[in-house]
Amino acid sequence: MNGHGITIENIKKIVPFSQGSTEIFLTGLWSSRKPIHLDKTSPCRQACPVGNDISRAFYEASMGHYDEALRIFRQDNPLPGVCGRVCYHPCESQCNRKYYDEAVNIRGFERFLADNGKVDIGRERPALLRKEKVAIVGSGPAGLSAAYHLARLGFSVTILEALPMAGGMLRYGIPEYRLPKGILDKEISYIQELGVEIKTGVTVGKDLSLSETRKDYQAIFLAIGAHSGMQLGLEGEDLLGVMDGITYLRTINLGKKVRLGKKIAVIGGGNTAIDCARTARRLGAKDITVIYRRTRAEMPALAEDVDGLEREGIKIELLAAPKRLISENGKISGVECLRMKLGEADTTGRPSPFPVEGSEFIVPVDAMIAAIGQAPEAAFVKELGISISKNNVIQISSETTATSVDGVFAGGDGAGTKAFVADAIASGKLGALAVYCYFEGKDVKKELKNHQIGNQQSFSFQHFLNPKHYPVDLKKVVPYEKINTLCFPHGVRHNNPESVPPKEAVKTFREGTSGIEASRMPFEIYRCFKCGTCTHCDLCFLLCPDISIIKGTDGYTIKTDFCKGCGQCATTCPRNVIEMVEGPGGNT
Amino acid sequence: MIASEEQQEYMRSGHMACPGCGEASTMRLVLKVLGEKTIVVIVPSCVGVISATFPNSTFKVPCFHSAFEIAAPTAAGIANALRVQGREDVTALAFAGDGGTFDIGLQSLSGAADRNDNFIYVCLDNEAYMNTGIQSSSSTPQGVWTMTTPGGRQGRKKKFMQIIAAHRMPYAATASIGHPHDLMAKIRKAKNIKGTKFIHTLTPCPTGWRMPENLSAKAAMLAVETKLFPLYEVIDGTEYRITHQPLGLPVQEFTKIQGRYRHFTEEDTAILQREVDDEWEQLVAKTKGCKL
Amino acid sequence: MKTLLQGNYAVAEAVRLARVQLVAAYPITPQTPIYEKLSDMENEGILPGVMMRTESEHSAMAACIAASLTGVRTFTATASQGLALMHEMLHFASGNRVPIVMCNVNRVVAVPWAFGSDQSDSLSQRDTGWLQFYCEDAQEALDTVIQAYRIAEQALLPVMVAIDGFFTSHFIEPIEIPDQASVDAFLPAFSIPTRFNEADPAYIANVVNPEQYMGYRQKSFEDMENTRPLIKEANEEYQRIIGRGYEAVESVNTDDADIVLVTSGAMTSTARVTIQSLREKGVKAGLLKMKLLRPFPTREVQEILKNTRKIAVLDRNISLGKGGIWCQELKAALYPLENRPIITGYIAGICGADVSPDMIEDMVVKALERERSDDLPIWVRRDQ
Ligand SMILES: Cc1cc2nc3c(=O)[nH]c(=O)nc-3n(C[C@H](O)[C@H](O)[C@H](O)COP(=O)(O)OP(=O)(O)OC[C@H]3O[C@@H](n4cnc5c(N)ncnc54)[C@H](O)[C@@H]3O)c2cc1C
Ligand SMILES: Cc1ncc(C[n+]2csc(CCOP(=O)(O)OP(=O)(O)O)c2C)c(N)n1
Ligand code: SF4
Ligand code: SF4
Ligand SMILES: [Mg+2]
């Protein structure tokens, strides 16, 4: 009021004085297109056999929540420290970032988390314990994974393992310099902490029959691996100085000595071959030649391991295959090889090699290791009437891991899944689901479909346990075109540094690479687009001209009453979490 | 990160901006930062439409619809009155379009800046007179189509920040809705500086730029990432600092999504690219030796 | 006690006494000394408010409007081109119902370029919704500015106080400056509620529809009408407290007059002398001084002139295509009278050209001889 008695109420009557809300105008009626805010699936996750929720882990890590990021990995994978070192990282080959600059070092990230994050097993313990007892034969990645997931579901799980220690090929195949035993021990101990009992030195079929086992346990998961080295099929394979790769590595890993001499030929291009050659180098062999029948591009071994091989001074004889073993005094003295040429692609998509006539040449050797593959030792399963192939591979339905016998399931190398750690873990996880469904009378295929990631075989164990925890569309995989790359500066990939110079490497079994430096890790974490995972970056919320995205403590909701359907939120979302649809939109 | 008090909205839904309007989102963010103790001055422009007709208001803070060419002196008058009243905790804020800033309001802005009156001036640059139906202003880029430049504008876009810098205002900055955090940080800074603060925001207009309405924020990002509209600040007219390192995309990434550039030939684009590169270099040169 | 002051300074004193909180101004002859004097006062620390040295009159008015809306007492002064430049803002001020007081020092509007006194600048702003007062001398200017604040703030309408360029603005006269306590007693401290209240936020001056627009215009019109008693009352109160007063229309010897001379502004002083000498010569002449243009004092004029047969109107302004503006206004006001007088319009003193007592005497005498009103004015020029 002024000295003349004028109040604001007087003024309100004489000039346009607007105090009404525009929210009486439902501008949402302008358009029928509305946004949906819902997490999607990253292509790396789809490519990961285990189905690791990679983008979400990166998101948590981006906020410094490394323990939570590790926990996300461990929802699907009990062996992140192992996979973080030796996985063939199919995730990285599907990483959207590779179209922008370079794929993200996902494996290095997983390793970083496993090495630096804290695991709180207590949080993973099931709320309810179940009565059913499940036996798992074999403690390789498939068996460990099945045990871990079954234990999380409350089953009483016992692993029966023939060898003195658990781990399968992780312990008796892959050498220390690639996968330190300490890492494996730690991850196995977490599984034990969950309540899994591991009985070592028990060979099923020998110490304990499969049928007895079947009686003591209500379900069995066979994860016996493939431990019998395949033969070249040449004369003289029983000569002194000839050995198969699996046996060689197992013997070494058992702590025994094997004397092979200075000049060694290793036949094969897979991990076993490369590991045999590098192990032999570390044990003193000076002149090692790896003989492989195709070219480097076709080698099944990981490229970085082949690089390591070359750095360590090991020769690779490509496009060559042994034709004959030459002996001297009952001992091998050379390998006669034939040059090969590549022809048409075979069923695996790789070109098949064929010999060039008259191209024979001789590689003189003191010993030869054949590492051309391995087969399961599965004869014992026949006792229960379980079918096996002529290569001793247990026959299963790949979608359910079920064998021909009720209550018995199988996975991993022994059941012919892809011979990689991650695939073994995946099949163990699927086995756990199958066992669960077996007891619950549920259809595994249906369950799998409900929690399936993209169009691949993997499924989300986390989603299976609690689909509401992270609302996500597991089927929609984010393509690169849907990434708003304008939100991302370019940046070089951080590789895992070599920890031992090649000169030293040949003298030690110390791990050859180290983890990404803690100070650099955030940069690599930042490089990840986090495809499909809302990072609460606020962009949609801040950009909406119609204030139709409401930010709450647990994410964003769409106020469709006012949303004019412009679609800016969907277009600018860096990671394709928002999508425009015809219809009511919202959050689901 | 958004400060907790900035979670509040001071603009309401239900306003009449075209879908995807860059002005509306820019205003919203500015107000989010400035908060409840703000007096908004608007002038004829699309903001006049967005702000609603009697008896409603899009704003939850006091607002005054002033005349076209006087955004600055209006805000200045309010600021000085607030000073007299001892209400200096209240921010006087002016919103004006490019027409209201580069053209008709230039003189009065210059006067207010010269006096260093205490207010924030946010220019909402959509590169034409949009409210009156897409006519060319001195902010319209060369060659661009508008209703009054059907054959493409002859003149070149005024280098407005240079004019601003010449006034040696305590704080001036460019900002863009495509980089909302940067924008908000600049408003936050401006809020705490006494004197005239000028923020030049690029506010894509789907209607006037002849592009789909979902692309305006993306267009804003592209303008920045192509270096066409770099994000930087100028302290006291002399200290330059680039606040966002652009990706350096080719300019056609920006132009190709807009109908107003449809007639551009490769040659036209090449000329534009050269110009953008030159100007970027000049800007970088200005940052050399700056303490910031 | 009287002080020798030029009219511009007298206005500045009034601004100080009115405790104006914000002054926004821009230099233009012959107003500049007001601006300078206020700057001096600010420099000396005796101006209670802040000074905004704007880059134009347009911005000065813009700032006054904004500050007034915010809730402070404002002042500006201008002339001629400056006022013309402000034109848009004048409408804006009255539409916003802000009680701004402005002093306009009358000066011709170019072209041709010139500087002398001429009311065309302010009279042509007649329809912008401002109250307009025309002052005869510096003392009246000072008193009117103070009165203007009281009226403006009661009516929530802006007030323009016009003084003649040079004659009033620059001539030094003995001025009685009221003491602050008396002015304070007359003029309450400014406390019009701010329209920008964070606790009760509103959007003001937004777009309205035609019906609403017309409603606001009608309300403003009515409020302008309602200022008539306020103007009267302000003057009476001023008279009571400070001892001086000015009627909206002042009549001198009109009751028995055969002819009444109508003037405004500084010419009135010359006219007073002329009327006196005509009376001495036996011509029954009277004088009507027009102080108020808007709201137009129709009733008062009708009352005073209802029996007058002949009228001469002196206009120091011209509306091309019509004539002197006061004359038109007067003719319109007297039209309802039963006995309409014979009115002669004179255009004189344009651009401050000399209007001497004998020139006025001649005009009055000639007008007395005329038997019918003419539509067109008579131009009175010394060089012809
Ligand atoms: C040298 C080498 C290097 C490799 N490198 C890589 C690599 O870098 N990356 C990668 O992804 N993969 C690698 N692989 C492949 C990978 O190790 C295997 O695919 C994976 O370990 C298979 O897991 P699994 O659980 O099926 O079998 P395994 O790991 O083989 O485990 C099977 C376990 O079952 C036990 N078992 C078998 N029969 C019985 C029985 N009757 N009773 C009780 N226990 C039994 C075995 O003792 C063994 O412990 C490598 C393999 C080898 C040999
Ligand atoms: C003095 C004056 N001249 C012209 C206009 C008409 N007018 C209103 S809005 C406008 C265009 C505004 O353009 P800009 O400032 O760029 O804002 P935009 O509409 O693009 O947001 C014009 C020319 C006016 N209101 N006042
Ligand atoms: S940005 Fe806002 S208005 Fe536009 S579609 Fe998204 S929620 Fe709706
Ligand atoms: S014309 Fe352009 S600036 Fe105006 S409201 Fe529409 S989108 Fe916004
Ligand atoms: Mg514009």
Side-chain angles (χ1 to χ4, degrees):
Chain A
M1 199 165 93
N2 76 348
H4 312 290
I6 290 171
T7 67
I8 194 71
E9 296 310 317
N10 300 128
I11 294 175
K12 285 181 187 180
K13 288 187 196 112
I14 60 171
V15 285
F17 205 88
S18 298
Q19 298 191 290
S21 168
T22 47
E23 288 177 1
I24 56 169
F25 305 116
L26 299 181
T27 50
L29 298 172
W30 293 9
S31 166
S32 57
R33 281 172 67 72
K34 296 288 178 266
I36 282 191
H37 182 285
L38 183 62
D39 278 3
K40 295 190 182 53
T41 298
S42 59
C44 54
R45 184 179 197 188
Q46 173 174 251
C48 170
V50 188
N52 283 330
D53 197 350
I54 296 162
S55 61
R56 187 173 310 283
F58 267 114
Y59 166 48
E60 287 295 341
S62 72
M63 297 183 292
H65 305 159
Y66 290 139
D67 296 345
E68 186 57 26
L70 175 58
R71 184 163 178 261
I72 286 167
F73 269 101
R74 291 184 59 88
Q75 291 300 307
D76 287 293
N77 183 2
L79 303 172
V82 171
C83 289
R85 290 175 163 78
V86 301
C87 185
Y88 64 115
H89 49 72
C91 51
E92 288 180 25
S93 41
Q94 293 306 314
C95 173
N96 272 336
R97 181 92 196 194
K98 79 174 172 190
Y99 304 105
Y100 194 54
D101 37 37
E102 288 173 275
V104 175
N105 186 353
I106 301 173
R107 188 179 73 176
F109 172 61
E110 188 174 6
R111 168 175 173 174
F112 181 89
L113 294 177
D115 291 357
N116 300 290
K118 265 206 295 296
V119 175
D120 180 358
I121 283 296
R123 279 181 71 189
E124 310 304 334
R125 285 217 175 86
L128 282 174
L129 293 178
R130 308 179 59 119
K131 304 182 300 290
E132 299 95 335
K133 285 164 68 185
V134 183
I136 291 168
V137 182
S139 66
L144 290 170
S145 161
Y148 170 76
H149 291 296
L150 283 167
R152 290 171 71 204
L153 292 170
F155 290 97
S156 155
V157 185
T158 306
I159 298 181
L160 305 168
E161 167 58 53
L163 287 163
M165 288 180 88
M169 282 305 182
L170 307 179
R171 188 180 300 278
Y172 295 107
I174 301 176
E176 174 81 12
Y177 62 84
R178 286 209 293 132
L179 174 58
K181 304 287 180 277
I183 301 296
L184 180 62
D185 293 342
K186 186 170 88 173
E187 298 200 322
I188 292 175
S189 76
Y190 292 139
I191 297 170
Q192 289 172 307
E193 266 182 64
L194 261 182
V196 172
E197 191 190 354
I198 304 179
K199 290 187 178 162
T200 53
V202 182
T203 306
V204 178
K206 205 170 99 197
D207 302 327
L208 186 73
S209 77
L210 191 54
S211 47
E212 279 172 287
T213 316
R214 184 71 186 87
K215 273 189 216 109
D216 294 347
Y217 298 91
Q218 284 79 59
I220 297 180
F221 184 71
L222 299 168
I224 58 170
H227 285 244
S228 158
M230 301 229 267
Q231 303 263 303
L232 289 169
L234 299 177
E235 215 169 295
E237 278 190 67
D238 50 356
L239 284 168
L240 224 59
V242 178
M243 208 174 188
D244 79 84
I246 286 299
T247 310
Y248 175 65
L249 291 172
R250 185 188 321 116
T251 315
I252 306 284
N253 277 317
L254 277 164
K256 296 184 192 151
K257 293 231 157 60
V258 183
R259 249 179 257 284
L260 290 175
K262 296 263 177 255
K263 267 194 234 150
I264 297 173
V266 179
I267 317 297
N271 278 320
T272 313
I274 307 301
D275 282 341
C276 286
R278 297 177 75 187
T279 300
R281 183 83 173 95
R282 281 166 176 71
L283 291 174
K286 291 268 152 15
D287 185 356
I288 306 174
T289 309
V290 171
I291 298 167
Y292 179 54
R293 49 192 188 139
R294 295 188 178 93
T295 69
R296 245 192 103 138
E298 286 81 31
M299 280 187 145
L302 302 187
E304 60 255 37
D305 291 329
V306 183
D307 290 346
L309 179 100
E310 286 189 310
R311 275 201 305 275
E312 289 162 14
I314 297 167
K315 291 187 292 267
I316 312 180
E317 195 67 70
L318 293 168
L319 289 167
K323 183 189 169 199
R324 191 167 66 91
L325 307 186
I326 304 164
S327 63
E328 234 170 69
N329 310 324
K331 195 173 168 293
I332 188 163
S333 63
V335 182
E336 186 184 286
C337 297
L338 268 173
R339 273 284 156 236
M340 307 298 270
K341 254 176 119 171
L342 294 185
E344 298 285 292
D346 66 9
T347 44
T348 65
R350 293 180 304 177
S352 35
F354 59 91
V356 180
E357 246 173 87
S359 64
E360 288 83 351
F361 64 98
I362 292 171
V363 181
V365 298
D366 297 330
M368 184 199 80
I369 300 171
I372 56 157
Q374 44 269 354
E377 290 162 342
F380 73 96
V381 305
K382 285 195 277 190
E383 187 200 345
L384 273 185
I386 296 169
S387 345
I388 56 174
S389 75
K390 65 176 193 300
N391 288 336
N392 268 346
V393 175
I394 303 169
Q395 300 296 287
I396 56 165
S397 145
S398 65
E399 285 167 297
T400 66
T401 72
T403 65
S404 51
V405 170
D406 196 43
V408 182
F409 304 83
D413 284 4
T417 54
K418 238 168 141 190
F420 289 108
V421 176
D423 296 277
I425 294 170
S427 85
K429 191 171 78 168
L430 182 57
L433 180 70
V435 169
Y436 169 83
C437 290
Y438 170 67
F439 289 117
E440 292 290 314
K442 286 189 174 159
D443 179 357
V444 198
K445 287 186 196 167
K446 219 153 129 199
E447 283 301 319
L448 183 62
K449 196 134 208 93
N450 286 345
H451 310 294
Q452 185 187 7
I453 295 164
N455 55 13
Q456 298 297 300
Q457 272 293 307
S458 60
F459 72 100
S460 165
F461 208 83
Q462 190 285 316
H463 194 265
F464 164 68
L465 289 179
N466 182 1
K468 296 226 163 64
H469 189 65
Y470 298 120
V472 60
D473 188 337
L474 288 171
K475 304 290 179 294
K476 273 209 179 111
V477 178
V478 177
Y480 177 66
E481 303 70 58
K482 290 280 175 71
I483 295 292
N484 181 4
T485 52
L486 295 173
C487 299
F488 301 97
H490 287 281
V492 286
R493 173 185 160 109
H494 297 80
N495 285 310
N496 285 68
E498 261 179 41
S499 54
V500 191
K503 262 205 183 129
E504 310 252 311
V506 297
K507 295 185 211 143
T508 175
F509 276 84
R510 243 173 64 209
E511 189 171 17
T513 57
S514 52
I516 299 173
E517 238 180 276
S519 63
R520 304 303 299 164
M521 196 64 235
F523 295 97
E524 195 61 13
I525 291 168
Y526 181 62
R527 286 185 69 242
C528 169
F529 294 147
K530 298 158 195 87
C531 309
T533 298
C534 175
T535 62
H536 303 91
C537 72
D538 285 344
L539 203 57
C540 60
F541 162 65
L542 294 175
L543 291 181
C544 174
D546 294 291
I547 316 118
S548 289
I549 297 182
I550 308 304
K551 187 180 170 163
T553 44
D554 53 350
Y556 308 97
T557 41
I558 315 273
K559 204 161 75 172
T560 48
D561 281 356
F562 301 103
C563 163
K564 294 172 186 162
C566 69
Q568 285 206 78
C569 46
T571 303
T572 42
C573 175
R575 34 193 71 86
N576 191 216
V577 175
I578 307 185
E579 208 175 9
M580 298 304 289
V581 292
E582 199 62 44
N587 291 70
T588 41
Chain B
M1 276 313 285
I2 315 175
S4 61
E5 63 271 18
E6 291 169 7
Q7 301 295 352
Q8 280 294 321
E9 299 294 342
Y10 296 94
M11 220 169 121
R12 298 184 173 108
S13 298
H15 59 68
M16 295 294 141
C18 303
C21 173
E23 282 192 356
S25 21
T26 305
M27 283 155 60
R28 177 184 160 221
L29 293 192
V30 170
L31 288 175
K32 257 177 122 45
V33 177
L34 294 181
E36 164 185 54
K37 287 188 174 290
T38 306
I39 296 169
V40 182
V41 172
I42 70 159
V43 299
S45 61
C46 282
V47 181
V49 177
I50 299 167
S51 54
T53 55
F54 178 79
N56 298 309
S57 174
T58 299
F59 304 110
K60 296 184 191 169
V61 290
C63 173
F64 173 51
H65 193 325
S66 195
F68 197 17
E69 60 288 337
I70 54 163
T74 306
I78 291 172
N80 281 306
L82 290 171
R83 196 173 108 207
V84 170
Q85 293 171 328
R87 290 164 71 198
E88 274 163 297
D89 56 333
V90 178
T91 305
L93 164 72
F95 282 127
D98 49 297
T101 305
F102 287 49
D103 294 345
I104 199 164
L106 174 57
Q107 166 186 319
S108 70
L109 169 60
S110 175
D114 169 62
R115 290 187 303 275
N116 201 21
D117 284 327
N118 185 25
F119 66 99
I120 302 177
Y121 190 109
V122 176
C123 171
L124 303 165
D125 182 5
N126 53 18
E127 303 195 319
Y129 294 109
M130 294 308 178
N131 183 238
T132 37
I134 327 173
Q135 297 82 23
S136 159
S137 78
S138 64
S139 171
T140 306
Q142 189 168 37
V144 154
W145 169 93
T146 67
M147 295 290 270
T148 51
T149 55
R153 178 170 136 87
Q154 297 279 306
R156 300 161 76 173
K157 182 175 169 112
K158 208 180 260 180
K159 291 285 135 203
F160 204 72
M161 283 300 278
Q162 299 188 8
I163 298 177
I164 290 298
H167 287 78
R168 295 166 174 270
M169 293 182 196
Y171 187 73
T174 61
S176 154
I177 186 61
H179 294 76
H181 294 289
D182 176 84
L183 188 153
M184 290 170 80
K186 286 167 177 167
I187 302 294
R188 234 170 263 139
K189 222 175 208 180
K191 187 180 180 181
N192 294 314
I193 294 173
K194 265 216 156 37
T196 307
K197 288 80 60 175
F198 181 86
I199 315 287
H200 181 190
T201 64
L202 188 69
T203 57
C205 162
T207 311
W209 291 14
R210 293 285 186 254
M211 65 180 178
E213 59 208 29
N214 65 320
L215 288 184
S216 43
K218 188 155 188 185
M221 287 182 179
L222 282 166
V224 171
E225 302 302 350
T226 55
K227 299 176 175 167
L228 212 127
F229 189 82
L231 297 179
Y232 61 98
E233 46 189 22
V234 191
I235 312 292
D236 296 328
T238 48
E239 294 277 311
Y240 282 72
R241 189 174 79 94
I242 292 167
T243 60
H244 173 87
Q245 202 52 42
L247 294 173
L249 302 176
V251 286
Q252 66 260 37
E253 294 291 313
F254 174 72
T255 55
K256 75 179 182 199
I257 60 170
Q258 302 167 48
R260 61 178 182 151
Y261 284 102
R262 188 175 296 131
H263 55 284
F264 262 46
T265 60
E266 254 172 52
E267 161 103 49
D268 294 335
T269 311
I271 293 171
L272 176 62
Q273 182 69 62
R274 243 173 286 137
E275 207 166 288
V276 165
D277 292 343
D278 285 353
E279 265 153 29
W280 170 254
E281 258 160 42
Q282 286 166 25
L283 175 65
V284 170
K286 283 184 189 148
T287 65
K288 295 272 149 63
C290 288
K291 291 190 288 292
L292 294 166
Chain C
M1 196 195 75
K2 296 209 175 187
T3 315
L4 284 173
L5 280 184
Q6 56 159 275
N8 278 331
Y9 289 2
V11 169
E13 290 299 336
V15 171
R16 176 180 63 78
L17 288 167
R19 298 187 186 275
V20 168
Q21 292 160 295
L22 186 139
V23 175
Y26 190 81
I28 183 166
T29 304
Q31 168 273 142
T32 311
I34 300 180
Y35 183 18
E36 291 172 345
K37 186 73 197 169
L38 289 169
S39 297
D40 283 346
M41 289 176 175
E42 188 209 25
N43 193 38
E44 289 162 30
I46 54 169
L47 190 77
V50 296
M51 282 284 295
M52 285 179 72
R53 293 167 183 83
T54 56
E55 89 301 334
S56 72
E57 291 85 351
H58 191 283
S59 288
M61 183 50 71
C64 285
I65 294 169
S68 191
L69 290 168
T70 313
V72 302
R73 186 174 281 163
T74 60
F75 175 82
T76 186
T78 188
S80 173
Q81 312 297 123
L83 187 66
L85 182 64
M86 267 186 202
H87 176 75
E88 182 200 20
M89 291 293 99
L90 299 183
H91 284 281
F92 221 67
S94 63
N96 274 307
R97 306 296 305 269
V98 283
I100 298 168
V101 173
M102 164 165 65
C103 177
N104 182 63
V105 182
N106 291 127
R107 167 187 152 182
V108 284
V109 182
V111 155
W113 284 104
F115 303 93
S117 182
D118 186 325
Q119 297 169 334
S120 294
D121 57 354
S122 54
L123 286 174
S124 62
Q125 305 300 340
R126 185 188 63 178
D127 300 331
T128 56
W130 287 58
L131 283 80
Q132 284 199 13
F133 291 100
Y134 287 80
C135 300
E136 185 178 342
D137 56 24
Q139 182 69 61
E140 185 180 348
L142 181 151
D143 296 330
T144 305
V145 165
I146 295 171
Q147 287 192 18
Y149 277 107
R150 182 175 159 121
I151 300 161
E153 289 164 16
Q154 284 176 324
L156 292 178
L157 281 168
V159 180
M160 189 191 302
V161 177
I163 64 174
D164 284 71
F166 304 103
F167 298 125
T168 306
S169 66
H170 283 67
F171 285 13
I172 293 171
E173 298 172 41
I175 303 286
E176 179 88 50
I177 301 173
D179 60 84
Q180 185 68 59
S182 312
V183 174
D184 289 348
F186 169 76
L187 182 65
F190 189 80
S191 61
I192 285 200
T194 178
R195 297 189 208 176
F196 305 132
N197 179 358
E198 310 94 79
D200 183 27
Y203 174 16
I204 56 177
N206 51 341
V207 175
V208 297
N209 69 26
E211 291 305 320
Q212 292 160 347
Y213 184 89
M214 212 162 149
Y216 287 115
R217 293 306 277 171
Q218 188 176 356
K219 183 75 182 113
S220 296
F221 179 85
E222 288 163 4
D223 287 349
M224 177 69 98
E225 284 306 305
N226 294 336
T227 58
R228 295 176 193 281
L230 301 178
I231 294 167
K232 198 158 179 284
E233 187 191 292
N235 190 43
E236 284 164 8
E237 191 65 5
Y238 196 84
Q239 177 95 44
R240 191 178 65 75
I241 299 171
I242 293 165
R244 275 187 303 279
Y246 312 86
E247 299 291 329
V249 276
E250 180 194 341
S251 59
V252 181
N253 296 335
T254 52
D255 289 351
D256 63 338
D258 292 330
I259 183 159
V260 170
L261 175 64
V262 180
T263 62
S264 63
M267 274 200 296
T268 308
S269 299
T270 321
R272 287 181 199 276
V273 177
T274 314
I275 295 301
Q276 199 54 43
S277 75
L278 278 170
R279 282 266 170 184
E280 280 158 18
K281 289 177 188 159
V283 181
K284 282 210 256 170
L287 173 72
L288 189 70
K289 169 188 161 187
M290 300 297 301
K291 177 177 171 72
L292 185 62
L293 175 77
R294 281 292 179 273
F296 194 79
T298 310
R299 288 272 155 66
E300 292 86 334
V301 168
Q302 284 174 347
E303 189 53 37
I304 295 165
L305 298 178
K306 63 176 186 270
N307 298 317
T308 307
R309 291 311 313 133
K310 292 194 177 160
I311 296 172
V313 185
L314 247 74
D315 268 299
R316 197 199 281 281
N317 63 77
I318 177 69
S319 169
L320 303 190
K322 189 69 184 165
I325 294 166
W326 289 107
C327 185
Q328 294 164 46
E329 292 278 331
L330 198 78
K331 280 179 175 172
L334 299 183
Y335 180 79
L337 292 184
E338 250 170 71
N339 296 313
R340 287 189 205 107
I342 293 159
I343 302 176
T344 306
Y346 290 103
I347 305 298
I350 295 283
C351 193
D354 192 23
V355 186
S356 60
D358 53 312
M359 285 167 80
I360 297 178
E361 198 175 306
D362 191 43
M363 286 185 252
V364 173
V365 170
K366 288 214 172 99
L368 195 55
E369 288 164 4
R370 290 169 73 94
E371 285 309 327
R372 62 179 195 89
S373 295
D374 202 341
D375 210 25
L376 295 182
I378 298 166
W379 287 74
V380 182
R381 287 169 55 188
R382 221 213 239 295
D383 59 348
Q384 282 185 347

